[in-house]
Amino acid sequence: MATNTISVELLAKMFLAGAQNIEAKKEYINELNVFPVPDGDTGTNMSMTIMAAAKEVTALADMDLASVCKAISSGSLRGARGNSGVILSQLLRGFTKSIKEEEVLDVPAMARAAVRAKETAYKAVMRPKEGTILTVARGMADKAVELAEETDDMEVFISKVIEEGEIVLAQTPEMLPVLKEAGVVDSGGQGLLEVIKGAYDAFLGKEVDYSAITPDASAAVTRVSAEEPTDIKFGYCTEFIILLEKDFTEKDEVEFKAYLESIGDSIVCVADDDIVKIHVHTNDPGLAIQKALTFGQLSKMKIDNMREEHQEKLIKDAEKLAAQQASVKTEEPRKESGFIAVSVGEGINEIFRELGVDYIIEGGQTMNPSTEDMLNAIEKVNAEHIYILPNNKNIIMAANQARDLTEDKEIIVIPSKTVPQGIAAVINFSADAGVKENEEVMMEAIANVKTGQVTYAVRDTHIDDKEIHEGDIMGIGDTGILAVSTSIDSTTKEMLAQLVDEDSELISIYYGEDVSDEDAEHLIAEIEELYPDQDVDAHRGGQPIYYYILAVE
């Protein structure tokens, strides 16, 4: 029988299933990254972005359309990590903005939402590039509009949209030569398809494992604790697992739930193979335990007195409020300008601090910080104008998104793509200059920095006309892979030779946590001998994954 509409409850279930599916497939998506570096992170970024929204959806008390749409949009926007995560959050934002205005979620409504999702994502990208997640989203949106004229069967509609997405995804290597050379399809497009495929599984009623996004049952305590102690009808939060020693049929599950409802509320009873997970608020935990023992042994037992917890929470809340009030009274006036820098490695962190950066966001290349991380940093910097240095091309969009979500401070994102660019930007800042003048000077400073980074390959591939084998040492410049060999020092020197020219004055070297002081000193001495006309400035950066980060100015 054809299904023509989607209920709010089914919509939420489909979204959570989509989140679960990309979480399960994230490593596969990571492996599709073009560069064979050990920090390929498209799948991780997209998964963490949608998981932030999934947690908000699972925490909803009222499952109405407006609440679900707000949770998906707000959660993904604030949780967005990396360019792929930001684009996914914009797709979800456009989609939810459209459907929350609909009276019925039928095929035409979903087609309109697909178009708005695509349009919102394209607008968020300054220079959209075809052969990416945007192309896949556009192909599916166009197909959705076409199908809305042909069918009102939701199952047919979704399956055909997915088929079109797979066709477009398969064509991405023909649109982006770098994908074709590496022998992969676009990882962001693959991630988007995994989300929609997971949602389709839930639509079809397939069994979905939601374990990655199932909230802790104790979250129920948080909701109850807002009540007065005298209003808490059942005082003990009781949790345990039954290790089954006999069959636990559907009939047993129904009867057990009915029994728990007779002695308490906030019931969770989930059977999973040889175990049953139980959560109940009751005034007599022993009754629940005795009943459970008829089915097997008990494990991971936990009983909390919620009335006692409530009193403790009231005390802590009062202390926190008093501290906040005290801090408001003593808070210093805002200074004119402040800095936030994304960094990794204690040595590099210390350099930024010495240059006057107010707040360091730990992350960078190995773990892209989220828009939420940026917003938290902005809140902590007491300045009227705040300059953000992303120091990674994959973090710039999240910084821009945080800027757009901030209302009480002026945020200026300096689009530094590497740590050396960020350092150059903050060095060129002048407290006596205005915001616009400083922005222009810092933009000019980052444009004058050429960066190289040395790391190892995690798989065999062919890219930038170079044959690369797993374990090879690669020198990656601003425009691609510049050098490949089996030696860290050889690769570093070969890459540096392509960065230095007759106008170069300064070579900066930051060596990572996997490079000893002795090895670094040996290479630095060689570089000083090779380039006597340039100043060489060396630091222990302490960064992971990258043996050396070089800058030529």
Side-chain angles (χ1 to χ4, degrees):
M1 181 178 174
T3 302
N4 297 339
T5 61
I6 294 175
S7 66
V8 176
E9 292 76 15
L10 179 55
L11 176 72
K13 186 180 290 187
M14 290 170 68
F15 175 73
L16 295 178
Q20 177 70 44
N21 196 48
I22 195 170
E23 168 67 16
K25 304 287 179 58
K26 65 183 179 185
E27 291 305 329
Y28 164 66
I29 297 166
N30 284 342
E31 291 173 3
L32 294 175
N33 280 357
V34 170
F35 289 112
V37 292
D39 57 5
D41 51 11
T42 300
T44 300
N45 283 338
M46 294 184 76
S47 174
M48 293 184 77
T49 297
I50 201 169
M51 280 295 173
K55 294 292 169 66
E56 291 206 17
V57 171
T58 58
L60 287 175
D62 299 314
M63 200 64 73
D64 58 83
L65 185 58
S67 298
V68 171
C69 288
K70 183 179 179 181
I72 293 173
S73 179
S74 174
S76 61
L77 282 173
R78 298 178 74 88
R81 294 176 187 266
N83 293 342
S84 56
V86 172
I87 293 172
L88 177 60
S89 73
Q90 291 293 330
L91 286 166
L92 293 170
R93 178 176 175 235
F95 185 86
T96 53
K97 269 192 171 182
S98 180
I99 62 173
K100 74 178 182 181
E101 299 169 356
E102 301 285 356
E103 293 184 7
V104 179
L105 298 184
D106 55 10
V107 166
M110 299 302 276
R112 287 190 289 271
V115 171
R116 190 158 179 183
K118 175 258 297 184
E119 291 173 347
T120 304
Y122 265 91
K123 286 177 183 176
V125 180
M126 189 172 294
R127 287 183 290 273
K129 186 181 293 185
E130 295 308 325
T132 66
I133 181 176
L134 292 171
T135 309
V136 177
R138 189 184 67 192
M140 289 192 288
D142 291 347
K143 187 66 174 180
V145 172
E146 178 186 320
L147 288 166
E149 300 293 326
E150 300 173 2
T151 182
D152 59 2
D153 187 329
M154 193 67 74
E155 182 176 342
V156 172
F157 172 77
I158 300 175
S159 66
K160 294 292 186 183
V161 167
I162 291 174
E163 284 179 16
E164 183 66 19
E166 289 175 329
I167 291 170
V168 176
L169 180 66
Q171 295 170 350
T172 55
E174 301 303 321
M175 304 177 200
L176 273 180
V178 69
L179 294 176
K180 189 171 186 177
E181 186 180 11
V184 295
V185 295
D186 178 67
S187 54
Q190 184 71 60
L192 178 60
L193 266 177
E194 296 302 341
V195 172
I196 299 173
K197 286 179 179 179
Y200 186 48
D201 284 344
F203 174 83
L204 294 175
K206 293 183 180 180
E207 187 173 341
V208 176
D209 174 15
Y210 292 98
S211 59
I213 50 180
T214 301
D216 186 346
S218 63
V221 177
T222 305
R223 290 195 293 272
V224 173
S225 67
E227 304 171 2
E228 291 297 323
T230 53
D231 293 336
I232 298 177
K233 186 177 180 181
F234 298 105
Y236 296 95
C237 175
T238 307
E239 300 175 52
F240 52 81
I241 291 175
I242 308 172
L243 305 176
L244 293 173
E245 295 176 347
K246 64 178 185 179
D247 289 342
F248 191 79
T249 64
E250 288 187 15
K251 182 172 179 290
D252 291 327
E253 183 175 349
V254 170
E255 291 177 352
F256 200 107
K257 283 182 179 177
Y259 176 76
L260 293 177
E261 286 170 355
S262 73
I263 63 168
D265 63 10
S266 297
I267 311 299
V268 175
C269 176
V270 181
D272 184 14
D273 295 332
D274 298 327
I275 65 171
V276 180
K277 300 174 185 177
I278 299 295
H279 171 271
V280 60
H281 292 174
T282 178
N283 287 326
D284 194 340
L287 294 176
I289 290 169
Q290 288 174 20
K291 181 72 171 178
L293 285 169
T294 63
F295 291 97
Q297 299 181 46
L298 304 187
S299 173
K300 296 187 178 179
M301 299 177 66
K302 182 170 173 281
I303 301 173
D304 293 320
N305 184 330
M306 293 190 294
R307 295 186 179 97
E308 187 177 89
E309 287 181 346
H310 180 83
Q311 293 290 0
E312 291 176 358
K313 183 178 184 300
L314 288 178
I315 294 170
K316 288 179 181 177
D317 287 349
E319 291 174 345
K320 183 178 179 182
L321 180 60
Q324 288 173 342
Q325 290 173 339
S327 67
V328 168
K329 291 176 183 176
T330 59
E331 185 178 331
E332 297 179 1
R334 281 186 183 176
K335 59 181 181 177
E336 188 67 19
S337 301
F339 275 89
I340 295 168
V342 180
S343 177
V344 62
E346 190 48 48
I348 293 174
N349 293 350
E350 190 56 35
I351 290 170
F352 277 120
R353 292 190 190 103
E354 289 174 357
L355 290 172
V357 169
D358 299 272
Y359 193 93
I360 304 291
I361 300 177
E362 292 279 354
Q365 188 71 7
T366 53
M367 174 54 74
N368 297 156
S370 66
T371 298
E372 181 78 28
D373 294 330
M374 300 280 184
L375 291 169
N376 290 338
I378 289 168
E379 185 178 346
K380 289 181 172 65
V381 176
N382 189 27
E384 199 68 39
H385 312 286
I386 300 175
Y387 299 87
I388 298 182
L389 305 168
N391 300 330
N392 187 301
K393 65 181 181 181
N394 206 33
I395 300 174
I396 295 171
M397 287 186 72
N400 288 336
Q401 194 148 278
R403 176 199 61 202
D404 295 342
L405 292 170
T406 300
E407 298 178 353
D408 62 334
K409 299 174 183 177
E410 183 182 7
I411 308 301
I412 306 95
V413 177
I414 305 299
S416 51
K417 296 180 180 179
T418 64
V419 163
Q421 286 186 352
I423 291 172
V426 73
I427 285 175
N428 282 273
F429 171 81
S430 172
D432 297 327
V435 172
K436 284 297 177 187
E437 184 181 347
N438 267 315
E439 184 177 4
E440 290 172 4
V441 168
M442 287 190 280
M443 291 290 286
E444 184 178 342
I446 67 176
N448 290 330
V449 178
K450 291 183 283 188
T451 307
Q453 302 179 88
V454 182
T455 187
Y456 58 93
V458 294
R459 67 173 187 273
D460 295 349
T461 190
H462 184 88
I463 188 169
D464 291 338
D465 294 324
K466 292 178 174 60
E467 197 67 37
I468 299 171
H469 301 286
E470 182 178 346
D472 281 352
I473 306 301
M474 303 178 297
I476 305 173
D478 297 322
T479 57
I481 297 176
L482 303 180
V484 178
S485 78
T486 57
S487 162
I488 295 173
D489 286 9
S490 296
T491 298
T492 304
K493 288 184 287 187
E494 183 184 342
M495 179 182 69
L496 189 57
Q498 298 181 58
L499 296 176
V500 176
D501 57 32
E502 59 185 15
D503 296 323
S504 301
E505 298 176 354
L506 174 65
I507 299 171
S508 300
I509 304 171
Y510 307 89
Y511 58 98
E513 64 180 8
D514 294 325
V515 178
S516 68
D517 291 337
E518 183 181 1
D519 288 344
E521 288 167 5
H522 175 75
L523 178 61
I524 291 162
E526 288 189 351
I527 290 173
E528 287 175 331
E529 189 174 336
L530 286 168
Y531 301 99
D533 296 331
Q534 282 78 33
D535 293 328
V536 178
D537 187 25
H539 305 270
R540 168 169 277 284
Q543 69 273 6
I545 293 181
Y546 290 86
Y547 302 113
Y548 291 99
I549 297 175
L550 306 179
V552 176
E553 301 175 57

